[in-house]
Amino acid sequence: AAGVIQSPRHLIKEKRETATLKCYPIPRHDTVYWYQQGPGQDPQFLISFYEKMQSDKGSIPDRFSAQQFSDYHSELNMSSLELGDSALYFCASSRGLAGGSSYNEQFFGPGTRLTVL
Amino acid sequence: GNSVTQMEGPVTLSEEAFLTINCTYTATGYPSLFWYVQYPGEGLQLLLKATKADDKGSNKGFEATYRKETTSFHLEKGSVQVSDSAVYFCALKRGGGSNYKLTFGKGTLLTVNP
């Protein structure tokens, strides 16, 4: 079965540079979520989109922005990178606003490991 | 707000031992509850879930029962294997809708020795 695809899998950047992470949800999934997992930490919710509109916002820095495109893929743009941004960034997708719990299970991608030097 | 508290690790067991990882939650309404597993260097995989009180989620020999009276969702397995070594996250999602965020616990590292 198709899974959530994230690219790149690994990314190394210098401080103050920018980075763009991409997420391709499972086919027919219309909701995308972004999570950040610092070293040894639990995943923290950043932002989500449903039908190309922002649906929820968590602890996402102002330096970060994201959007969902017409084909439902999403991109997380990160500017003025800081050392503390080094983390594993997960994307998850689900089918939103449909009846039944099986329609809202979040499926996670393998993550993008961002290292800021 | 919503929060999840799970027992701190690391937990080290011998193969075939019984496993319990405690998880309690604070939430308004009726959240859905999940256990996710993260193997070394990999992403998060859903292990099991329960969407209402007294539901029991089960998968791969793991079980957890949604206990509303004690606001708990403890993970259990009768006989662990070396391949179960991973980090386990308890998580909740606000109920009533479908596309709400997940709130995770801090994770529990399980190491199973042969």
PDB file of all heavy atoms in Angstrom, chain A residues 74-103:
ATOM      1  N   SER A  74       2.277  18.896   0.575  1.00  0.00           N
ATOM      2  CA  SER A  74       2.530  20.042   1.449  1.00  0.00           C
ATOM      3  C   SER A  74       4.020  20.326   1.520  1.00  0.00           C
ATOM      4  O   SER A  74       4.842  19.425   1.344  1.00  0.00           O
ATOM      5  CB  SER A  74       1.989  19.756   2.854  1.00  0.00           C
ATOM      6  OG  SER A  74       2.252  20.826   3.742  1.00  0.00           O
ATOM      7  N   GLU A  75       4.338  21.578   1.766  1.00  0.00           N
ATOM      8  CA  GLU A  75       5.729  21.981   1.937  1.00  0.00           C
ATOM      9  C   GLU A  75       5.867  22.814   3.200  1.00  0.00           C
ATOM     10  O   GLU A  75       5.017  23.673   3.481  1.00  0.00           O
ATOM     11  CB  GLU A  75       6.219  22.760   0.714  1.00  0.00           C
ATOM     12  CG  GLU A  75       6.249  21.931  -0.552  1.00  0.00           C
ATOM     13  CD  GLU A  75       6.814  22.666  -1.753  1.00  0.00           C
ATOM     14  OE1 GLU A  75       7.267  23.820  -1.613  1.00  0.00           O
ATOM     15  OE2 GLU A  75       6.817  22.054  -2.851  1.00  0.00           O
ATOM     16  N   LEU A  76       6.919  22.522   3.933  1.00  0.00           N
ATOM     17  CA  LEU A  76       7.255  23.279   5.140  1.00  0.00           C
ATOM     18  C   LEU A  76       8.502  24.086   4.825  1.00  0.00           C
ATOM     19  O   LEU A  76       9.550  23.517   4.519  1.00  0.00           O
ATOM     20  CB  LEU A  76       7.500  22.320   6.316  1.00  0.00           C
ATOM     21  CG  LEU A  76       7.934  22.942   7.644  1.00  0.00           C
ATOM     22  CD1 LEU A  76       6.821  23.803   8.210  1.00  0.00           C
ATOM     23  CD2 LEU A  76       8.317  21.847   8.643  1.00  0.00           C
ATOM     24  N   ASN A  77       8.377  25.398   4.862  1.00  0.00           N
ATOM     25  CA  ASN A  77       9.483  26.283   4.572  1.00  0.00           C
ATOM     26  C   ASN A  77      10.048  26.854   5.857  1.00  0.00           C
ATOM     27  O   ASN A  77       9.296  27.376   6.695  1.00  0.00           O
ATOM     28  CB  ASN A  77       9.010  27.429   3.667  1.00  0.00           C
ATOM     29  CG  ASN A  77       8.516  26.923   2.327  1.00  0.00           C
ATOM     30  OD1 ASN A  77       9.278  26.422   1.519  1.00  0.00           O
ATOM     31  ND2 ASN A  77       7.205  27.018   2.103  1.00  0.00           N
ATOM     32  N   MET A  78      11.352  26.738   6.001  1.00  0.00           N
ATOM     33  CA  MET A  78      12.001  27.139   7.240  1.00  0.00           C
ATOM     34  C   MET A  78      13.102  28.143   6.889  1.00  0.00           C
ATOM     35  O   MET A  78      13.993  27.832   6.084  1.00  0.00           O
ATOM     36  CB  MET A  78      12.592  25.922   7.933  1.00  0.00           C
ATOM     37  CG  MET A  78      11.562  24.776   8.033  1.00  0.00           C
ATOM     38  SD  MET A  78      12.285  23.168   8.294  1.00  0.00           S
ATOM     39  CE  MET A  78      12.846  23.348   9.959  1.00  0.00           C
ATOM     40  N   SER A  79      13.038  29.329   7.482  1.00  0.00           N
ATOM     41  CA  SER A  79      14.031  30.355   7.172  1.00  0.00           C
ATOM     42  C   SER A  79      14.829  30.716   8.419  1.00  0.00           C
ATOM     43  O   SER A  79      14.441  30.366   9.547  1.00  0.00           O
ATOM     44  CB  SER A  79      13.342  31.602   6.608  1.00  0.00           C
ATOM     45  OG  SER A  79      12.473  32.154   7.570  1.00  0.00           O
ATOM     46  N   SER A  80      15.942  31.396   8.187  1.00  0.00           N
ATOM     47  CA  SER A  80      16.824  31.826   9.292  1.00  0.00           C
ATOM     48  C   SER A  80      17.050  30.675  10.266  1.00  0.00           C
ATOM     49  O   SER A  80      16.830  30.803  11.485  1.00  0.00           O
ATOM     50  CB  SER A  80      16.217  33.032  10.017  1.00  0.00           C
ATOM     51  OG  SER A  80      16.009  34.102   9.141  1.00  0.00           O
ATOM     52  N   LEU A  81      17.499  29.557   9.737  1.00  0.00           N
ATOM     53  CA  LEU A  81      17.638  28.353  10.550  1.00  0.00           C
ATOM     54  C   LEU A  81      18.554  28.573  11.748  1.00  0.00           C
ATOM     55  O   LEU A  81      19.563  29.284  11.669  1.00  0.00           O
ATOM     56  CB  LEU A  81      18.163  27.209   9.697  1.00  0.00           C
ATOM     57  CG  LEU A  81      17.152  26.619   8.718  1.00  0.00           C
ATOM     58  CD1 LEU A  81      17.835  25.676   7.744  1.00  0.00           C
ATOM     59  CD2 LEU A  81      16.034  25.901   9.464  1.00  0.00           C
ATOM     60  N   GLU A  82      18.158  27.950  12.847  1.00  0.00           N
ATOM     61  CA  GLU A  82      18.923  28.007  14.088  1.00  0.00           C
ATOM     62  C   GLU A  82      19.352  26.598  14.468  1.00  0.00           C
ATOM     63  O   GLU A  82      18.761  25.611  14.021  1.00  0.00           O
ATOM     64  CB  GLU A  82      18.060  28.608  15.203  1.00  0.00           C
ATOM     65  CG  GLU A  82      17.544  29.998  14.895  1.00  0.00           C
ATOM     66  CD  GLU A  82      16.568  30.513  15.941  1.00  0.00           C
ATOM     67  OE1 GLU A  82      16.243  29.739  16.873  1.00  0.00           O
ATOM     68  OE2 GLU A  82      16.145  31.677  15.819  1.00  0.00           O
ATOM     69  N   LEU A  83      20.381  26.528  15.331  1.00  0.00           N
ATOM     70  CA  LEU A  83      20.860  25.208  15.767  1.00  0.00           C
ATOM     71  C   LEU A  83      19.725  24.394  16.377  1.00  0.00           C
ATOM     72  O   LEU A  83      19.641  23.173  16.186  1.00  0.00           O
ATOM     73  CB  LEU A  83      21.996  25.368  16.776  1.00  0.00           C
ATOM     74  CG  LEU A  83      23.269  26.052  16.269  1.00  0.00           C
ATOM     75  CD1 LEU A  83      24.284  26.175  17.391  1.00  0.00           C
ATOM     76  CD2 LEU A  83      23.859  25.282  15.098  1.00  0.00           C
ATOM     77  N   GLY A  84      18.848  25.065  17.095  1.00  0.00           N
ATOM     78  CA  GLY A  84      17.744  24.384  17.768  1.00  0.00           C
ATOM     79  C   GLY A  84      16.696  23.823  16.834  1.00  0.00           C
ATOM     80  O   GLY A  84      15.799  23.101  17.274  1.00  0.00           O
ATOM     81  N   ASP A  85      16.792  24.149  15.558  1.00  0.00           N
ATOM     82  CA  ASP A  85      15.845  23.592  14.582  1.00  0.00           C
ATOM     83  C   ASP A  85      16.244  22.189  14.152  1.00  0.00           C
ATOM     84  O   ASP A  85      15.470  21.511  13.451  1.00  0.00           O
ATOM     85  CB  ASP A  85      15.762  24.493  13.346  1.00  0.00           C
ATOM     86  CG  ASP A  85      15.215  25.874  13.660  1.00  0.00           C
ATOM     87  OD1 ASP A  85      14.378  25.987  14.579  1.00  0.00           O
ATOM     88  OD2 ASP A  85      15.632  26.848  12.991  1.00  0.00           O
ATOM     89  N   SER A  86      17.427  21.747  14.564  1.00  0.00           N
ATOM     90  CA  SER A  86      17.859  20.388  14.228  1.00  0.00           C
ATOM     91  C   SER A  86      16.902  19.394  14.869  1.00  0.00           C
ATOM     92  O   SER A  86      16.737  19.377  16.094  1.00  0.00           O
ATOM     93  CB  SER A  86      19.273  20.132  14.742  1.00  0.00           C
ATOM     94  OG  SER A  86      20.203  20.978  14.086  1.00  0.00           O
ATOM     95  N   ALA A  87      16.279  18.601  14.049  1.00  0.00           N
ATOM     96  CA  ALA A  87      15.243  17.684  14.540  1.00  0.00           C
ATOM     97  C   ALA A  87      14.808  16.765  13.418  1.00  0.00           C
ATOM     98  O   ALA A  87      15.224  16.921  12.264  1.00  0.00           O
ATOM     99  CB  ALA A  87      14.033  18.471  15.055  1.00  0.00           C
ATOM    100  N   LEU A  88      13.954  15.834  13.790  1.00  0.00           N
ATOM    101  CA  LEU A  88      13.283  14.976  12.817  1.00  0.00           C
ATOM    102  C   LEU A  88      11.909  15.583  12.565  1.00  0.00           C
ATOM    103  O   LEU A  88      11.170  15.847  13.519  1.00  0.00           O
ATOM    104  CB  LEU A  88      13.167  13.574  13.399  1.00  0.00           C
ATOM    105  CG  LEU A  88      12.787  12.403  12.503  1.00  0.00           C
ATOM    106  CD1 LEU A  88      13.703  12.316  11.296  1.00  0.00           C
ATOM    107  CD2 LEU A  88      12.841  11.114  13.298  1.00  0.00           C
ATOM    108  N   TYR A  89      11.593  15.846  11.322  1.00  0.00           N
ATOM    109  CA  TYR A  89      10.316  16.458  10.965  1.00  0.00           C
ATOM    110  C   TYR A  89       9.447  15.407  10.290  1.00  0.00           C
ATOM    111  O   TYR A  89       9.787  14.877   9.249  1.00  0.00           O
ATOM    112  CB  TYR A  89      10.528  17.665  10.053  1.00  0.00           C
ATOM    113  CG  TYR A  89      11.165  18.814  10.789  1.00  0.00           C
ATOM    114  CD1 TYR A  89      12.542  18.877  10.960  1.00  0.00           C
ATOM    115  CD2 TYR A  89      10.386  19.808  11.354  1.00  0.00           C
ATOM    116  CE1 TYR A  89      13.132  19.902  11.679  1.00  0.00           C
ATOM    117  CE2 TYR A  89      10.969  20.848  12.071  1.00  0.00           C
ATOM    118  CZ  TYR A  89      12.347  20.881  12.231  1.00  0.00           C
ATOM    119  OH  TYR A  89      12.920  21.893  12.954  1.00  0.00           O
ATOM    120  N   PHE A  90       8.318  15.140  10.933  1.00  0.00           N
ATOM    121  CA  PHE A  90       7.389  14.153  10.413  1.00  0.00           C
ATOM    122  C   PHE A  90       6.214  14.841   9.734  1.00  0.00           C
ATOM    123  O   PHE A  90       5.704  15.855  10.206  1.00  0.00           O
ATOM    124  CB  PHE A  90       6.820  13.290  11.532  1.00  0.00           C
ATOM    125  CG  PHE A  90       7.786  12.305  12.095  1.00  0.00           C
ATOM    126  CD1 PHE A  90       8.277  12.455  13.380  1.00  0.00           C
ATOM    127  CD2 PHE A  90       8.201  11.213  11.346  1.00  0.00           C
ATOM    128  CE1 PHE A  90       9.163  11.541  13.906  1.00  0.00           C
ATOM    129  CE2 PHE A  90       9.083  10.292  11.867  1.00  0.00           C
ATOM    130  CZ  PHE A  90       9.574  10.456  13.156  1.00  0.00           C
ATOM    131  N   CYS A  91       5.784  14.220   8.674  1.00  0.00           N
ATOM    132  CA  CYS A  91       4.526  14.571   8.062  1.00  0.00           C
ATOM    133  C   CYS A  91       3.591  13.376   8.251  1.00  0.00           C
ATOM    134  O   CYS A  91       4.022  12.224   8.203  1.00  0.00           O
ATOM    135  CB  CYS A  91       4.735  14.856   6.580  1.00  0.00           C
ATOM    136  SG  CYS A  91       3.233  15.081   5.626  1.00  0.00           S
ATOM    137  N   ALA A  92       2.339  13.666   8.493  1.00  0.00           N
ATOM    138  CA  ALA A  92       1.323  12.616   8.575  1.00  0.00           C
ATOM    139  C   ALA A  92       0.140  13.031   7.722  1.00  0.00           C
ATOM    140  O   ALA A  92      -0.068  14.229   7.466  1.00  0.00           O
ATOM    141  CB  ALA A  92       0.875  12.403  10.024  1.00  0.00           C
ATOM    142  N   SER A  93      -0.614  12.052   7.262  1.00  0.00           N
ATOM    143  CA  SER A  93      -1.803  12.384   6.490  1.00  0.00           C
ATOM    144  C   SER A  93      -2.981  11.555   6.958  1.00  0.00           C
ATOM    145  O   SER A  93      -2.817  10.495   7.570  1.00  0.00           O
ATOM    146  CB  SER A  93      -1.560  12.174   4.991  1.00  0.00           C
ATOM    147  OG  SER A  93      -1.521  10.794   4.641  1.00  0.00           O
ATOM    148  N   SER A  94      -4.165  12.071   6.685  1.00  0.00           N
ATOM    149  CA  SER A  94      -5.393  11.356   7.027  1.00  0.00           C
ATOM    150  C   SER A  94      -6.499  11.813   6.092  1.00  0.00           C
ATOM    151  O   SER A  94      -6.368  12.815   5.381  1.00  0.00           O
ATOM    152  CB  SER A  94      -5.800  11.606   8.486  1.00  0.00           C
ATOM    153  OG  SER A  94      -6.267  12.936   8.657  1.00  0.00           O
ATOM    154  N   ARG A  95      -7.585  11.070   6.113  1.00  0.00           N
ATOM    155  CA  ARG A  95      -8.786  11.525   5.416  1.00  0.00           C
ATOM    156  C   ARG A  95      -9.607  12.278   6.441  1.00  0.00           C
ATOM    157  O   ARG A  95     -10.022  11.721   7.443  1.00  0.00           O
ATOM    158  CB  ARG A  95      -9.575  10.342   4.870  1.00  0.00           C
ATOM    159  CG  ARG A  95      -8.942   9.689   3.671  1.00  0.00           C
ATOM    160  CD  ARG A  95      -9.719   8.484   3.235  1.00  0.00           C
ATOM    161  NE  ARG A  95     -11.044   8.833   2.736  1.00  0.00           N
ATOM    162  CZ  ARG A  95     -11.928   7.941   2.321  1.00  0.00           C
ATOM    163  NH1 ARG A  95     -11.644   6.651   2.350  1.00  0.00           N
ATOM    164  NH2 ARG A  95     -13.110   8.319   1.879  1.00  0.00           N
ATOM    165  N   GLY A  96      -9.829  13.554   6.209  1.00  0.00           N
ATOM    166  CA  GLY A  96     -10.469  14.411   7.194  1.00  0.00           C
ATOM    167  C   GLY A  96     -11.956  14.533   7.006  1.00  0.00           C
ATOM    168  O   GLY A  96     -12.485  14.305   5.933  1.00  0.00           O
ATOM    169  N   LEU A  97     -12.613  14.869   8.118  1.00  0.00           N
ATOM    170  CA  LEU A  97     -14.024  15.226   8.128  1.00  0.00           C
ATOM    171  C   LEU A  97     -14.893  14.190   7.438  1.00  0.00           C
ATOM    172  O   LEU A  97     -15.788  14.502   6.670  1.00  0.00           O
ATOM    173  CB  LEU A  97     -14.245  16.604   7.500  1.00  0.00           C
ATOM    174  CG  LEU A  97     -13.599  17.766   8.258  1.00  0.00           C
ATOM    175  CD1 LEU A  97     -13.960  19.072   7.626  1.00  0.00           C
ATOM    176  CD2 LEU A  97     -14.003  17.737   9.713  1.00  0.00           C
ATOM    177  N   ALA A  98     -14.613  12.930   7.732  1.00  0.00           N
ATOM    178  CA  ALA A  98     -15.484  11.860   7.257  1.00  0.00           C
ATOM    179  C   ALA A  98     -15.904  11.064   8.470  1.00  0.00           C
ATOM    180  O   ALA A  98     -15.228  11.045   9.479  1.00  0.00           O
ATOM    181  CB  ALA A  98     -14.761  10.979   6.248  1.00  0.00           C
ATOM    182  N   GLY A  99     -17.011  10.402   8.377  1.00  0.00           N
ATOM    183  CA  GLY A  99     -17.504   9.690   9.545  1.00  0.00           C
ATOM    184  C   GLY A  99     -16.699   8.452   9.860  1.00  0.00           C
ATOM    185  O   GLY A  99     -16.164   7.809   8.988  1.00  0.00           O
ATOM    186  N   GLY A 100     -16.596   8.113  11.121  1.00  0.00           N
ATOM    187  CA  GLY A 100     -15.936   6.874  11.498  1.00  0.00           C
ATOM    188  C   GLY A 100     -14.484   7.077  11.826  1.00  0.00           C
ATOM    189  O   GLY A 100     -13.769   7.765  11.140  1.00  0.00           O
ATOM    190  N   SER A 101     -14.008   6.450  12.881  1.00  0.00           N
ATOM    191  CA  SER A 101     -12.635   6.660  13.325  1.00  0.00           C
ATOM    192  C   SER A 101     -11.638   6.171  12.287  1.00  0.00           C
ATOM    193  O   SER A 101     -10.535   6.690  12.182  1.00  0.00           O
ATOM    194  CB  SER A 101     -12.394   5.963  14.655  1.00  0.00           C
ATOM    195  OG  SER A 101     -12.612   4.574  14.519  1.00  0.00           O
ATOM    196  N   SER A 102     -11.969   5.178  11.511  1.00  0.00           N
ATOM    197  CA  SER A 102     -10.988   4.661  10.576  1.00  0.00           C
ATOM    198  C   SER A 102     -10.647   5.678   9.503  1.00  0.00           C
ATOM    199  O   SER A 102      -9.647   5.543   8.811  1.00  0.00           O
ATOM    200  CB  SER A 102     -11.510   3.378   9.929  1.00  0.00           C
ATOM    201  OG  SER A 102     -12.678   3.659   9.181  1.00  0.00           O
ATOM    202  N   TYR A 103     -11.481   6.707   9.367  1.00  0.00           N
ATOM    203  CA  TYR A 103     -11.224   7.709   8.358  1.00  0.00           C
ATOM    204  C   TYR A 103     -10.305   8.814   8.855  1.00  0.00           C
ATOM    205  O   TYR A 103      -9.931   9.684   8.093  1.00  0.00           O
ATOM    206  CB  TYR A 103     -12.544   8.323   7.878  1.00  0.00           C
ATOM    207  CG  TYR A 103     -13.308   7.392   6.977  1.00  0.00           C
ATOM    208  CD1 TYR A 103     -14.110   6.397   7.492  1.00  0.00           C
ATOM    209  CD2 TYR A 103     -13.213   7.503   5.600  1.00  0.00           C
ATOM    210  CE1 TYR A 103     -14.801   5.540   6.660  1.00  0.00           C
ATOM    211  CE2 TYR A 103     -13.903   6.652   4.766  1.00  0.00           C
ATOM    212  CZ  TYR A 103     -14.698   5.665   5.309  1.00  0.00           C
ATOM    213  OH  TYR A 103     -15.378   4.820   4.483  1.00  0.00           O
TER     214      TYR A 103
END
